[in-house]
Structure formats: structure tokens, C-alpha cells
Amino acid sequence: MRPSLTGLLIVLTWVTGLVEAVSLLALGPVFTAMQTGNVLFLAFGLAGAANLPALSSALSLAAFAVGVVCGARMESATEARGLRWVEFGLSAEAALVVAAAAVGWHVEPRVGHPAAGHLLVTGLLATAMGIRTVTSMRLNVPGVPTTLVTRSMTALIGSSALGHDNAFGYGTGAWLRRALAVLAMFTGGLTGALLVRAGWTVGEVLLPAAAVVVAVAVVHRTLPRAHTG
């Protein structure tokens, strides 16, 4: 069976869950993909609430912005040349995650007061997630944004027998990909949390994430070009 673009994006959503588990439980507390959380963490940190460090959140926000700029310019330029821009975006993301794994290979998980190694890994991951967000938004597969699941959960519940909202696709098969996206984020986070709890270093947890992104980029080459960038 030919793999689907939706299936590949669901796999990338799993990677996001794994990366965010590392970010929150081993580097932060900080997010590297879901930047809404960092906006609030930064606000709380500046207010001196709960001893939350503002530096990690500020760094992640800035690095994410750099990733968005780089991803937008790189993918639009690649598309203009008639090349498969999705694979360029995924390759750049994978390279940054590999770099983060290399930097964090001997970095022990720490919550609060991050050291230089923790901050560097945070910056690399946030840049990678910025590029990923550009990639997933350009692909625009409904219900599978890959870096957050709030909209997927809302649409899933709204289109259910309880919500009964046709605007969210009630009575269609859209619920399945939304449910799988939420499940992928959950299982990715669960996997990452279990690995951190088992004593894996930051780099050891991130290396499988990079391998999965590379695999997705390779499999993507088998998809019809007209529909996948």
C-alpha cells in the first residue's frame, strides 16, 4: 500500500510529542514547538511567579522565529526552482535535531535553571520546530497541524455525536485523522517521558526523533509530487 501524506504528518506529530517531552522534562520547563506555552511562561517568568525561568522561553521564542523565517524563505525558493520543497524542509529539521542530539548527548535532564548545554539544545530544537511549522502549514492537511492538537481536539469533539456540528465535518470520516493526530501527540509525549524517566540523556532521546524525521523525508519521495510539494 502506498503511504499517505496524512499518515506521514501523523508520524511527525508523534515526533513533536517526543521533542516536547524532552523540552519540558529535561530542558525547561520550556516548549520548542507549542509557542503559546512559551508566551505564557515568559510572562510568568518576568512576573517572578513560581520561579519559572524567563530565559529559556525567550530563547525558544526567538529561535522559533528564526526557524519560521528560514523555513519560509528556503521552501518558497526551493518551490520556485521546481524542487520538492517538503523534503528540503524535513531535511533541515532533521539536521537541526541531530545537532541538538549531538550537543545534548551527555546533557543530563534538568528542570529549572538550565545550563548552557540545555539552552543550546533548546535553541536548536525551537529552530527545527519553526521550520516544521512552516512545512505543515504549507501542506495544510486539515486536522493534522503536527505541532499542536488543540484545533484537532476541538474539531474532533465538535464533529462528534455530542457536538453534531456540520462545520467540523459531522458525519464524515475526518474524525479519524483528527483522533490519530491527538493519539500521536499523546504517545510521542508518553514515549519521551518514559525515556527521560528511565535515565536517558537528552541526546539519546532526540536521536530516534531525528531518525524518524529522516525516514519520513525518504518515504515522502514515493508520494505523487503534484499533491505533496
Coordinates of all heavy atoms in Angstrom, one line a residue, residues 29 66 103 153 169 194:
P29 N 11.4 24.1 32.5 CA 10.2 23.9 31.6 C 10.2 24.9 30.5 O 10.3 26.1 30.7 CB 9.0 24.1 32.5 CG 9.5 25.0 33.6 CD 11.0 24.7 33.8
V66 N 13.3 32.5 14.1 CA 14.4 32.3 13.1 C 14.1 31.1 12.2 O 14.2 31.1 11.0 CB 15.7 32.1 13.8 CG1 16.8 31.6 12.9 CG2 16.2 33.3 14.5
V103 N 24.8 17.8 20.7 CA 25.1 18.7 21.8 C 24.6 18.1 23.1 O 25.2 18.2 24.2 CB 24.4 20.1 21.6 CG1 24.6 21.0 22.8 CG2 25.1 20.7 20.3
M153 N -8.4 18.6 18.5 CA -9.3 18.1 19.5 C -10.6 18.8 19.4 O -11.7 18.2 19.6 CB -8.7 18.4 20.9 CG -7.5 17.5 21.2 SD -6.9 17.8 22.9 CE -8.3 17.4 23.9
G169 N -17.4 18.9 10.1 CA -17.4 17.6 9.3 C -18.2 16.5 10.0 O -17.8 15.3 9.8
L194 N 8.8 8.5 29.3 CA 9.3 7.3 29.8 C 10.8 7.1 29.6 O 11.5 6.6 30.5 CB 8.5 6.1 29.1 CG 7.1 5.9 29.5 CD1 6.4 4.8 28.7 CD2 6.9 5.6 31.0

